[in-house]
Amino acid sequence: MATLKFCGAAGTVTGSCSHITTDTAQFMVDCGLFQGNKTTQKLNYEEFPFDPRDVEFLILTHAHIDHSGLLPKLVKHGFNGPIYATSSTVDLLEFMLLDGASIQVSNTEHLNRKKKRRGLPQVQPLYVEEDAQQTLKQLRAVDYDQWFEPKPGVNIRFWNAGHILGSASAELKLKESDSDAPMRMLFSGDIGPEEKVFHPEPDAPDGFDYLICESTYGDRDRDDYTLVKRREALRDELVEGLARGGNVVIPSFSVERSQELLHDIGGLVATGEIENAEVYLDSPLARKVTKVFMKHVGVLEDIDVDPSELFRHKNFRMVESVDESKAVNRIKKGAIIISASGMCDAGRIQHHLKANIWRDKCTILFVGYQSPGTLGHIITSGAEDVKIHGELYKIKANIRRLGNYSAHADRSELVDWITERAPVVGGLFLNHGDDDARAALRELIAKKGIDKDKIHLPAFDESFELVASGVKSTGRSGVPAYEASLKNDWHNDYAKLLLEVTNRLENAKDGQERQAILGKLLASLKE
Ligand SMILES: [Zn+2]
């Protein structure tokens, strides 16, 4: 009998982590970082709800940090088995995990300085560079479409998931004794859309006992688009942005999104549709990831330049040092600046926002999902001013959004992908999506003929026994309940309130009015 436990990405879209126990093996699929508001991030510091030393091996579906970002923590706590991933994923992780470690260390230093000033105890980083280095040593590259056997009775094969470079769905055959028929499982990982530059459509076989599928866009269909249409929309934004007489700043994820943008912008510059623009990629990680893409250029599809020319247009500037980055901050017009992080909550993008967001000739163009609580979310929600590095900035730049750069399948594509995997006889688990998305997707799938009772929406920390007749929940192991606070994190409301108070005080006509406002606030606190 096997047990499947959802240790993350259940009711949320981050912290992807599944733990599987059979009579003869114990292993994991993915080990991702929890990202989002402070309440969600705190989950990264919880103990794993199993002993990492007992885990024999791990299957990694792709390099995104919400699937791989806690691997060094797992290793730090005693996991010493192999980590199986595609060769592109292995190459991406070399930079991403070290980048992750340096972010952990610098964030902790910053936090500890604050804590010291307040007389509070110091905290340890989640992991440090040595843990990331050790994790890299445990990686094992495996090709798509090739069975491998981490231990007798466990056979695994990767399928192209079409989501990012190296992304895979993992097919498993588990055999507990010679007489039993093997149990067939499929973990979708993250699934890409049908229209995507660089990668073919997602693919996998059919006929499973258990299917575990992501549901990020389970309740949303995107507008129909083609790669050509998308590039036209990007062109219109860039042409209009540059015509305003300032810069166009694009917050972008380092992995895949930055490379898609470079590919599309390269095409627009080459055909003269965008003239005279200098294009800066200012993210150390994105620059390294771009090199991994160049190394694997042979597997990239739909590229419209000679592969040897990809990302090498003469107008492109790959910014390296901090001094070069500061020089880009001083450019007043005519620059397209792609920088990370994609949600603006860290990295060099914050400096570019500081230099451009208060200028009405500039444009900030968002091309990715903005998680609630992030700086990017605040800016795209129509705020009039924002705090960056403790300073208040008026938002005068034109704030624009372009929605078609998603790396995820939308609702119809998910439904198609799932129904193509039928029959699924034991159970279908929908994870990696919020509760509304999962519930909506369940209804749609049920209409397509999969028994609704067999479609499960696992809770965070919930375990299931995979038995012959189907699935039996065995409940949760007792990680503190957090669902309610994940959605309504008080830190964001608090930040908003502080901003409101500052605004009100600054706009008051004199000291007397300010005293009156403060008096009222204090009185209401005492109520
Ligand atoms: Zn992903």
Side-chain angles (χ1 to χ4, degrees), residues 62-67 163-164 167 189-191 407-408 432:
H62 65 291
H64 269 155
I65 222 73
D66 60 324
H67 291 254
H163 170 64
I164 61 162
S167 66
D190 284 354
I191 309 254
H408 283 275
H432 204 284

Side-chain angles (χ1 to χ4, degrees), residues 372-398:
T374 58
L375 180 58
H377 189 261
I378 294 169
I379 296 171
T380 51
S381 308
E384 289 180 0
D385 32 38
V386 276
K387 251 190 181 168
I388 309 173
H389 298 162
E391 284 286 323
L392 201 62
Y393 291 83
K394 282 269 167 230
I395 301 181
K396 287 279 174 65
N398 196 18

Side-chain angles (χ1 to χ4, degrees), residues 454-469:
K454 292 197 167 173
I455 309 175
H456 306 278
L457 311 183
F460 172 69
D461 190 42
E462 190 174 12
S463 291
F464 294 84
E465 280 178 5
L466 309 181
V467 291
S469 55

